[in-house]
Structure formats: structure tokens, C-alpha cells
Amino acid sequence: GIPGITSHGAGMRHFPVVWPVVGYPPPRRWCPTHRPGFLCHRSVHFLTFSQKSTRFVIDCTTPVSDAVFDIAEFEKYLVEHFKAGKGAIAGDIDGKVTITREKSKIVVISVDAFAKKYLKYLTRRYLKSVELRDIIRVLRKDAKAYHLTYYASLDEE
């Protein structure tokens, strides 16, 4: 440290108590490098919090190719029943969530964060409403995708 100048304590070694220059320190921001939860003035370590959109995919290729599943009706169901955020009204997704169809896939793009499991819940609920829940299951394909497949006993028949 600098002789004669004390620091604020653990993790705050970049901020002396006695500021040597008027207008010092610069604005403090979160610093992931030094110690999580503490602040740092170094511009190299500034975190920018930008709105990142999240993209989820529901792959319905298998049941759609067998003409068991109507993907246009499923897309309509998602748009009508999707709740974007806590306390939101079903179907009120203007600007926050975009639900589109790409061939036999449904793509959900969201600005706000929501649980991927909510998509699985809505998909299973739709399957139950069209009485396909006993035939088709929803499986995790990867971190950002689900796919619809048949139960193993139906694949063998």
C-alpha cells in the first residue's frame, strides 16, 4: 500500500481513505476479478449489464413428420398461455417474448429471464389437452432445447 494512507478493509484495497486527488475515486462498479461482491474502480474490470435475449427451442420433428402433432395449433397455444413474468396475464407477451415456428421447431426468444422448465410445463399441458400425453414425451435435448419423442413402448410397435 501507499505509506500514510489506509484502506477500507478486505477486498477494497483500491480505495484509500484519504483521496490524493480531487474528484477521486472514479465511480465504483462490480469487480469479478479481485473479489466477488466488492467494488473496483479499474475500468478494465467493469461489468456491463446489457439485456441479453435467451433463445429456447422445442423440436417437434418426430411427431410432426408422422402427422400426429399439429405444430401451428401448438404455437397458437403457447402464445395464448405464455405468462411473461411474475403476476403477468396469460397471452400478454408483447415485446418481452417472441414465439415463432421454424419448419417443425418452435423457437422462444425472451428478453426477460424465465425458467426453461416453464416451457416443458406448457408443452406437457398442451399434450394433455389434445390427449397425446400418453403417447408423446418431452425430453431435454441440450441446455437450451427440448424435443418431443414417443415413449419407448410405442417406438417398438
Side-chain angles (χ1 to χ4, degrees):
I2 303 170
I5 298 177
T6 59
S7 65
H8 280 294
M12 302 291 282
R13 58 185 171 271
H14 302 297
F15 296 98
V17 173
V18 181
W19 311 119
V21 182
V22 176
Y24 188 86
R28 300 184 289 176
R29 307 233 173 112
W30 292 105
C31 177
T33 308
H34 289 99
R35 192 162 173 195
F38 287 92
L39 302 170
C40 177
H41 69 279
R42 293 185 180 178
S43 61
V44 189
H45 302 160
F46 283 179
L47 283 179
T48 55
F49 296 103
S50 61
Q51 281 191 342
K52 293 182 180 177
S53 59
T54 311
R55 185 176 190 266
F56 296 106
V57 178
I58 303 172
D59 187 3
C60 309
T61 307
T62 309
V64 168
S65 63
D66 295 339
V68 175
F69 189 80
D70 184 14
I71 195 160
E73 191 179 319
F74 177 52
E75 179 189 12
K76 183 181 172 191
Y77 180 88
L78 284 178
V79 170
E80 290 173 356
H81 290 82
F82 200 93
K83 290 184 181 179
K86 283 189 175 180
I89 300 167
D92 185 28
I93 59 172
D94 51 86
K96 296 177 185 174
V97 179
T98 309
I99 299 173
T100 56
R101 180 180 55 207
E102 295 176 1
K103 295 181 182 175
S104 60
K105 295 180 181 182
I106 298 287
V107 179
V108 179
I109 301 171
S110 173
V111 175
D112 295 337
F114 73 93
K116 184 179 85 164
K117 195 151 183 126
Y118 182 59
L119 276 181
K120 184 174 183 176
Y121 164 75
L122 285 176
T123 305
R124 290 176 71 178
R125 204 168 131 191
Y126 172 75
L127 290 172
K128 180 96 173 174
S129 70
V130 294
E131 297 175 357
L132 290 173
R133 181 75 186 93
D134 298 331
I135 301 167
I136 299 172
R137 65 193 291 188
V138 184
L139 294 176
R140 179 180 181 265
K141 194 173 188 177
D142 58 58
K144 299 285 181 179
Y146 283 115
H147 71 284
L148 304 181
T149 58
Y150 298 110
Y151 281 102
S153 61
L154 291 174
D155 285 337
E156 294 168 3
E157 292 177 3

